[in-house]
Amino acid sequence: MAASESQLIERYFRELGARREDTVLGIGDDAALLRVPGDCELVLTTDALIEGVHFLPGAPARALGHRALAVNLSDIAAMGASPSWALLSLNLPAAEDPWLREFAAGFGALARSHEVALVGGNLSRGALSITVELAGLVPAGQALRRDGAHAGDELYVSGSVGDAAGGLKLLQGEVTAPAAETAYLQRRFEYPTPRVALGAALRGIASACIDVSDGVYIDATRLLAASGCAARIELERLPLSAPLRRAFGELAWRPALCGGEDYELCFTAAPAQAGAVAAAAARTGQAVTRIGALRPGTGLTLAAAGSVMQFSPSAFDHFGD
Amino acid sequence: MAASESQLIERYFRELGARREDTVLGIGDDAALLRVPGDCELVLTTDALIEGVHFLPGAPARALGHRALAVNLSDIAAMGASPSWALLSLNLPAAEDPWLREFAAGFGALARSHEVALVGGNLSRGALSITVELAGLVPAGQALRRDGAHAGDELYVSGSVGDAAGGLKLLQGEVTAPAAETAYLQRRFEYPTPRVALGAALRGIASACIDVSDGVYIDATRLLAASGCAARIELERLPLSAPLRRAFGELAWRPALCGGEDYELCFTAAPAQAGAVAAAAARTGQAVTRIGALRPGTGLTLAAAGSVMQFSPSAFDHFGD
């Protein structure tokens, strides 16, 4: 006999993630009850992973559990907030124990490492898709928004960009690379590392922030549009990992600029904050790289070898991408 | 050229629902920022509707917009809380403007009527499924939980039960009924009315509460299990609507007891609270019916014409139902 939704939830999800003292009531009632400190704002986000759209059919369940939470943690990180509670809606074609065990292991490990409690959700039969809702807390008035940047600010990105898009191309078999580079880049796609500590450390330092889910070009453009500024990015400054350079050579800048799924932070800060940015990066063990500067106007200009580069991103951000 | 996810969100979802003063930042950043009063607990729930599982292919988009929010409002109602903010994750095979317009109209009208602001979400291409996450507020320590009932309490249900399951059978063509009954019952399935005002009015009066999403039998059993009590339901007391009686005759008790999707409230209260229950019902314009009583022990007994009835619910609550 098939297990019921309640039995599966009990088996795999009941105690998943961290225990938190501010969880009054978790899984098992009509809704969760949670305590939000009076001096904090609540931060809410949701993001979904759909088979065939955001991941390849047959993708490992553990990686999906990790990634479904990671993409949401990245949104919380981009607000400079601390994650706290998650809800999980899982649509599955069939309830297979090994798949669920692996999925829960990937989700649970990342949740525990970020002090996130799983407090609700549901399981349904359907085409494979995973929707996570994540709540976080941020001291009132201190969230990092997209609209706070000013002309004159400097533009930064954390970590390295392009790895995830490179890893996806390798997984899809569109390109090939040596085993070590392939393993590194695929892992960057399957197990993205949300920059939660860095986001929180940038409160009071960064003027605006966004996470890089659709590529630096698109996401920086969104930040600029929200802030009413223009910017110029120096292509040579884009932080590229050694495996990406080795696997993609001269073309590595393309996934770095236009590939998505990196879940790095793209942020701005006044030049006077450069030291504070470096200190926040050092304190959280996170590389950050200044890739350009903001100016009055609109739009994003790219420069290579000191010259403005003609660039027209082909159809990005279409519905369903 | 296909519209982008951002354009579609801008067109249909940007200002959907109520405006709330406690929304610091809604749609348009990495996450929403919200203010939770210090004397309230946050209530979080999520529920999904999947084509072919929770609704029939080709179901009207306006009804889906209503119902996707209603099933979540019902969870908030069952906690005695007030709904406040929603997130929407919509997986769609194609971005069709007429469908989206109708969906947003159904969602938006219900959201406004309950003072709910839509503050985030995402649109993706995929098999049609709708996941809503809903946040609400409840005075700290006053939420209605499933585990507060005691032996001796009385068992109540709001409104009438079985209509939605009857309506679904008519939609599926499994049975037929005259036009007026068919219209009424189908509407009860497609446009359930979450009992939000009643739930809030029962704070301090009801000892436990659950919403009826899987039928009175299953949901009352869940409440009893959480509270560690038994109960007996008098079958004749189940509140059946006149259209359900006319359409289903002698068998109307079956959808009433075992059919889901009613989104009524099933709750308990001490006998001394009977007057307060009636007053809360009157104040909120809601019928409530006492259908049985709690006793020590475990499990739910059914009685018809004063005699205990043998009843074994066939395979309910299986994964994917």
Side-chain angles (χ1 to χ4, degrees):
Chain A
M1 193 174 105
S4 71
E5 179 187 354
S6 322
Q7 287 168 329
L8 291 170
I9 288 172
E10 197 63 40
R11 196 175 302 161
Y12 296 109
F13 298 112
R14 181 63 174 245
E15 298 281 321
L16 203 62
R19 284 173 179 273
R20 293 179 61 95
E21 293 208 343
D22 50 8
T23 302
V24 180
L25 186 63
I27 288 176
D29 211 300
D30 290 283
L33 292 173
L34 312 161
R35 267 194 300 267
V36 174
D39 57 351
C40 283
E41 284 164 2
L42 175 69
V43 188
L44 276 189
T45 189
T46 182
D47 214 347
L49 298 184
I50 299 168
E51 186 177 62
V53 178
H54 304 101
F55 60 90
L56 303 174
R62 187 180 292 246
L64 293 178
H66 174 100
R67 198 156 153 251
L69 180 58
V71 302
N72 283 280
L73 285 167
S74 183
D75 282 325
I76 296 290
M79 305 302 288
S82 298
S84 42
W85 306 288
L87 303 174
L88 168 66
S89 288
L90 192 50
N91 301 346
L92 280 178
E96 291 164 0
D97 284 276
W99 194 97
L100 282 162
R101 190 178 308 119
E102 283 292 296
F103 179 89
F107 189 101
L110 187 62
R112 285 189 299 275
S113 75
H114 287 282
E115 294 291 318
V116 169
L118 181 66
V119 296
N122 60 82
L123 274 178
S124 296
R125 197 178 294 275
L128 181 57
S129 76
I130 309 150
T131 305
V132 172
E133 181 202 31
L134 192 58
L137 301 171
V138 67
Q142 293 187 37
L144 303 178
R145 302 165 51 141
R146 295 182 182 177
D147 59 5
H150 300 282
D153 285 355
E154 296 182 311
L155 183 66
Y156 296 85
V157 70
S158 68
S160 60
V161 285
D163 294 338
L168 179 58
K169 280 189 188 301
L170 290 162
L171 277 167
Q172 289 171 321
E174 290 186 19
V175 290
T176 55
E181 283 74 12
T182 298
Y184 177 85
L185 297 173
Q186 287 185 359
R187 189 166 175 89
R188 287 275 286 157
F189 173 74
E190 291 187 327
Y191 290 89
T193 307
R195 305 307 187 185
V196 177
L198 178 63
L202 289 171
R203 287 201 307 264
I205 297 171
S207 52
C209 188
I210 188 170
D211 78 321
V212 183
S213 55
D214 293 322
V216 170
Y217 188 89
I218 284 182
D219 289 311
T221 299
R222 288 179 177 143
L223 183 152
L224 295 171
S227 292
C229 293
R232 168 166 154 155
I233 289 180
E234 310 293 329
L235 219 61
E236 297 85 355
R237 289 181 171 274
L238 284 175
L240 308 183
S241 71
L244 188 74
R245 285 183 195 274
R246 285 197 295 269
F248 289 83
E250 290 287 296
L251 293 176
W253 67 272
R254 285 187 152 275
L257 194 65
C258 307
E261 318 291 337
D262 279 320
Y263 301 104
E264 296 292 349
L265 296 181
C266 177
F267 61 96
T268 58
Q273 296 284 2
V277 168
R283 201 164 67 246
T284 57
Q286 204 51 63
V288 304
T289 306
R290 190 170 65 78
I291 59 171
L294 275 63
R295 46 182 68 179
T298 59
L300 181 58
T301 305
L302 301 177
S307 301
V308 170
M309 189 182 149
Q310 292 307 313
F311 180 74
S312 152
S314 47
F316 290 113
D317 185 37
H318 275 197
F319 169 72
D321 288 353
Chain B
M1 195 173 105
S4 71
E5 179 186 354
S6 321
Q7 287 167 330
L8 291 170
I9 288 172
E10 197 64 40
R11 197 177 298 161
Y12 295 109
F13 298 112
R14 182 62 174 246
E15 298 281 320
L16 203 62
R19 283 171 181 274
R20 294 178 61 96
E21 294 207 343
D22 50 8
T23 302
V24 180
L25 186 63
I27 288 176
D29 211 301
D30 290 284
L33 293 174
L34 312 160
R35 267 196 300 268
V36 174
D39 57 351
C40 283
E41 284 164 1
L42 175 70
V43 189
L44 276 189
T45 188
T46 183
D47 214 347
L49 299 184
I50 299 168
E51 186 177 62
V53 178
H54 304 100
F55 58 91
L56 304 174
R62 186 179 293 246
L64 293 178
H66 174 100
R67 197 154 154 253
L69 180 57
V71 302
N72 283 279
L73 284 167
S74 183
D75 282 325
I76 297 289
M79 304 301 288
S82 299
S84 41
W85 306 288
L87 304 173
L88 169 65
S89 289
L90 192 50
N91 300 346
L92 281 177
E96 291 164 359
D97 284 279
W99 194 97
L100 282 162
R101 191 178 308 120
E102 283 292 296
F103 179 88
F107 189 100
L110 187 63
R112 284 189 300 276
S113 76
H114 287 283
E115 295 290 318
V116 170
L118 181 66
V119 296
N122 60 81
L123 274 179
S124 295
R125 197 179 295 277
L128 181 57
S129 76
I130 309 151
T131 305
V132 172
E133 296 95 4
L134 191 59
L137 302 171
V138 68
Q142 293 186 36
L144 303 177
R145 302 165 52 141
R146 295 183 182 177
D147 58 5
H150 300 283
D153 285 355
E154 296 181 311
L155 184 65
Y156 296 85
V157 70
S158 67
S160 61
V161 285
D163 293 339
L168 178 59
K169 281 191 187 299
L170 289 162
L171 277 167
Q172 289 172 319
E174 288 186 21
V175 290
T176 56
E181 283 74 12
T182 299
Y184 176 85
L185 297 172
Q186 287 185 0
R187 189 166 174 86
R188 287 276 285 158
F189 173 74
E190 291 187 327
Y191 290 90
T193 306
R195 306 306 187 187
V196 177
L198 178 64
L202 289 171
R203 287 201 307 264
I205 298 171
S207 53
C209 188
I210 189 171
D211 79 321
V212 183
S213 55
D214 293 322
V216 170
Y217 188 89
I218 284 181
D219 290 311
T221 298
R222 288 178 178 143
L223 183 152
L224 295 171
S227 291
C229 294
R232 169 166 154 153
I233 290 180
E234 310 293 329
L235 219 60
E236 298 86 356
R237 288 181 170 274
L238 284 176
L240 308 183
S241 71
L244 187 75
R245 284 184 196 275
R246 285 197 295 269
F248 288 83
E250 291 286 297
L251 294 176
W253 68 271
R254 284 187 152 275
L257 194 66
C258 306
E261 317 292 337
D262 280 319
Y263 300 105
E264 297 293 349
L265 297 181
C266 178
F267 61 95
T268 57
Q273 296 284 2
V277 168
R283 202 164 67 245
T284 56
Q286 204 52 63
V288 303
T289 306
R290 191 171 66 77
I291 59 171
L294 274 63
R295 46 184 69 179
T298 58
L300 180 57
T301 305
L302 301 177
S307 300
V308 170
M309 189 183 149
Q310 291 307 314
F311 179 75
S312 152
S314 47
F316 291 112
D317 184 37
H318 274 196
F319 169 72
D321 290 352

